[in-house]
Amino acid sequence: MSQKISPTFVYNTLSLALLTALTAPYAHADTVTVVEKKDLGTLKADNSSNSEVYALSSDGKVAGGEAEYDNGNSDRAIIWSGENWAAKTDLGTLRADNSGRSIVRALSGDGKVAGGWAGDDNDKQRATLWRLDYTASTPTPPVTPTPSTPPVTVTPPPTTPITPTLPVVTPPTPTPPVVTPTTPVVVSRIDVENTAKTIAQLGEDSFALMGMQSHALDRLQYACNVRDGQLNGFCFGLQEDISISKAHDDRRLSDTGLGVNVGYGFGNGVSVGLSLDHSAHRKLPSSFKHDGDDVGVGAVVRYQSPNGYFGEISGAYDDYSATITRPTLANTEIGVNEATIKGKSYGAKVGKAFGTDDKQLKAYVGVKHTDISRDAYRENEQSAFPISYGKMQYKQTFAIAGVKTHIAMTDKLSWVSDVGASQKISGDDPAYTASLTGVEQHNFSHKVSPAKTQGHIATGLSYQVAPQSHVEILPYVNKNANGEHGGGALLRIESTF
């Protein structure tokens, strides 16, 4: 009697066979075999409680994360390193007593820089970088076994000679070298946020320095006159300029410039002049120390027509070296090196003179271009995290206008004044960039906003000490490139020949 096979049974059997055939190639696609696992432990004396790994070096030989330790059961930044990650290093915190919490979240490829956060004395979690140096592994040399001579037992010879039997001696197995685990040493830990603040402060100081340089370039674009070039002959002048300004932190800055200038008139309205200037004393922003090696040079070419119209072109250049020390805040480093500050400026103006020699007014308009830079440099290697700074440049073009007056009060004494203003017409805000060397993800950029309108007001007296010589003193107030107000006084002694 034959057994009937139901259609349902056939359908289920075929379906199962088809499903098996389709999935067979992928049956082991997600299978993972655990080759080795290692309990890295914690910082507690009994190696208990919790720990986590958040970062690995490129070769996987250094791990970073957090682990609990005995003091308060807090999580601490930890580095596991050495043979089989046996060395455990507590990276500490930013607190003065090294207490509190910290965590490693990232490692550089070579495992020498760790990044994360750590608590500070204000109970804040601060972005932190640790610089690590690893002690060299010191292997213990293997023990070389001392050769041993097997003992020989000698017995009196019997009647029948017997060959002595030597015992079999197995030499000891050499002891393998013992490798001391490679342990990281915390060279330095820094507060990233405070480091960024010191970089920004140094940028503000750099721009205050550029404002002082701009004023020095302006005074270089002056040379004595031989009666507006109408006469044929020379003139000679000495000047001292004491200028006072402020930095962003209200620190008082000053510059004492000593200058000499000469001019020559060709007798047809054309005159030329040359000036030299040296800063005898500069009180710079606290981050800068002037090395005293600057001598600036300027040149002026003028034309004065018989009916009072005049034109002038001028230029100046000055550079010097300065030692730059980065400001410090809590948990930041002192970074030092030298850089060169360079400045050049040139301009042109036209105008007209009104009145007589006893009462004269000169009005002018023109344009001025200023280009001041601080060269790129890198802090010295004494810092664990030396910072590299990009070139900083203050490059602006201004429209200028002004009025000068000379009014005789007596035969020898005259009132003189000089009022001028400049308005920015082109130029980008100076950018201040810096980066932690070898830590690509920590780059800093800071911009400063120069004053778009600048100017000065000077008024004083001129006294004729001899027929061809006079002394002039001009106190002044001004608005500088960084928007701060300042002042000073200018003393000139000039003679014509």
Side-chain angles (χ1 to χ4, degrees):
M1 181 176 171
S2 61
Q3 184 178 2
K4 293 182 179 181
I5 300 176
S6 69
T8 302
F9 176 80
V10 174
Y11 176 80
N12 290 338
T13 302
L14 292 174
S15 298
L16 179 60
L18 181 61
L19 181 62
T20 302
L22 291 173
T23 59
Y26 308 100
H28 303 287
D30 297 325
T31 301
V32 177
T33 301
V34 178
V35 178
E36 181 184 355
K37 52 187 174 182
K38 169 70 175 176
D39 181 0
L40 299 185
T42 69
L43 291 169
K44 294 179 73 70
D46 60 3
N47 206 30
S48 64
S49 200
N50 303 316
S51 61
E52 293 187 56
V53 171
Y54 293 116
L56 286 171
S57 61
S58 296
D59 58 10
K61 294 182 178 180
V62 179
E66 61 178 330
E68 291 193 14
Y69 79 131
D70 289 311
N71 190 358
N73 293 323
S74 297
D75 293 328
R76 300 278 284 202
I78 183 174
I79 291 293
W80 290 276
S81 62
E83 185 70 23
N84 211 20
W85 305 282
K88 295 181 287 188
T89 304
D90 179 357
L91 300 188
T93 69
L94 296 174
R95 294 176 67 92
D97 60 2
N98 203 31
S99 64
R101 293 192 63 192
S102 56
I103 293 176
V104 170
R105 293 287 189 182
L107 278 172
S108 61
D110 58 7
K112 292 185 178 180
V113 177
W117 62 260
D120 67 359
D121 288 319
N122 296 318
D123 293 326
K124 302 293 184 182
Q125 296 179 357
R126 309 284 291 190
T128 307
L129 290 176
W130 292 266
R131 172 74 74 181
L132 308 172
D133 276 351
Y134 292 81
T135 58
S137 299
T138 308
T140 302
V143 177
T144 304
T146 303
S148 58
T149 303
V152 179
T153 304
V154 180
T155 57
T159 305
T160 302
I162 298 175
T163 303
T165 302
L166 298 178
V168 179
V169 178
T170 303
T173 303
T175 304
V178 178
V179 179
T180 303
T182 303
T183 303
V185 177
V186 180
V187 176
S188 179
R189 63 176 69 91
I190 63 169
D191 184 324
V192 177
E193 185 177 340
N194 276 355
T195 298
K197 289 179 179 178
T198 64
I199 292 172
Q201 183 178 336
L202 185 55
E204 294 287 353
D205 287 348
S206 298
F207 186 64
L209 194 76
M210 290 179 174
M212 298 178 68
Q213 186 82 334
S214 177
H215 178 76
L217 291 170
D218 285 344
R219 72 175 178 237
L220 276 166
Q221 295 178 73
Y222 171 85
C224 60
N225 267 316
V226 187
R227 293 192 183 180
D228 298 322
Q230 295 301 318
L231 296 179
N232 192 326
F234 287 95
C235 68
F236 176 80
L238 297 173
Q239 68 179 24
E240 180 179 10
D241 178 31
I242 302 174
S243 61
I244 300 171
S245 59
K246 286 198 309 181
H248 66 100
D249 56 357
D250 290 335
R251 178 180 169 86
R252 180 179 170 180
L253 312 177
S254 64
D255 184 13
T256 301
L258 301 177
V260 57
N261 53 79
V262 295
Y264 180 76
F266 294 92
N268 56 358
V270 177
S271 63
V272 296
L274 178 69
S275 61
L276 299 175
D277 183 276
H278 171 69
S279 288
H281 175 73
R282 276 180 171 168
K283 188 175 181 180
L284 303 180
S286 55
S287 306
F288 290 83
K289 181 181 178 182
H290 183 211
D291 292 343
D293 58 350
D294 73 299
V295 175
V297 59
V300 182
V301 178
R302 297 189 182 98
Y303 173 73
Q304 176 83 43
S305 68
N307 57 3
Y309 289 98
F310 65 89
E312 175 182 303
I313 57 174
S314 61
Y317 179 83
D318 187 13
D319 68 6
Y320 63 94
S321 296
T323 299
I324 307 175
T325 303
R326 177 159 47 99
T328 57
L329 293 173
N331 297 299
T332 62
E333 296 185 297
I334 299 176
V336 183
N337 213 330
E338 292 184 354
T340 301
I341 293 86
K342 302 175 182 177
K344 58 184 177 182
S345 179
Y346 45 87
K349 54 188 173 185
V350 295
K352 190 176 189 311
F354 302 91
T356 63
D357 289 341
D358 291 341
K359 296 181 179 180
Q360 189 178 75
L361 180 147
K362 289 183 176 181
Y364 63 88
V365 294
V367 64
K368 177 181 73 171
H369 180 78
T370 299
D371 186 352
I372 303 171
S373 64
R374 191 226 59 223
D375 284 349
Y377 73 99
R378 185 176 185 269
E379 292 174 349
N380 56 30
E381 295 295 341
Q382 295 178 359
S383 303
F385 291 94
I387 294 176
S388 296
Y389 299 90
K391 182 178 180 179
M392 185 178 182
Q393 193 165 27
Y394 171 52
K395 195 173 183 179
Q396 308 271 293
T397 302
F398 298 89
I400 60 174
V403 174
K404 295 182 178 182
T405 58
H406 185 283
I407 299 175
M409 301 171 64
T410 67
D411 291 342
K412 294 187 176 182
L413 186 65
S414 300
W415 173 66
V416 292
S417 68
D418 181 2
V419 179
S422 57
Q423 178 66 39
K424 173 186 169 182
I425 56 178
S426 70
D428 297 327
D429 291 346
Y432 185 76
T433 59
S435 61
L436 286 173
T437 305
V439 188
E440 294 181 359
Q441 65 268 36
H442 286 93
N443 297 323
F444 305 90
S445 180
H446 178 66
K447 276 193 174 184
V448 291
S449 299
K452 294 180 178 168
T453 303
Q454 303 172 34
H456 67 273
I457 299 175
T459 183
L461 298 173
S462 175
Y463 183 77
Q464 188 173 349
V465 295
Q468 303 297 325
S469 302
H470 69 274
V471 177
E472 188 173 279
I473 182 168
L474 278 171
Y476 60 84
V477 294
N478 57 10
K479 183 179 180 182
N480 301 318
N482 62 357
E484 298 286 354
H485 290 85
L490 181 65
L491 174 67
R492 288 194 183 113
I493 302 173
E494 293 185 358
S495 295
T496 58
F497 304 94

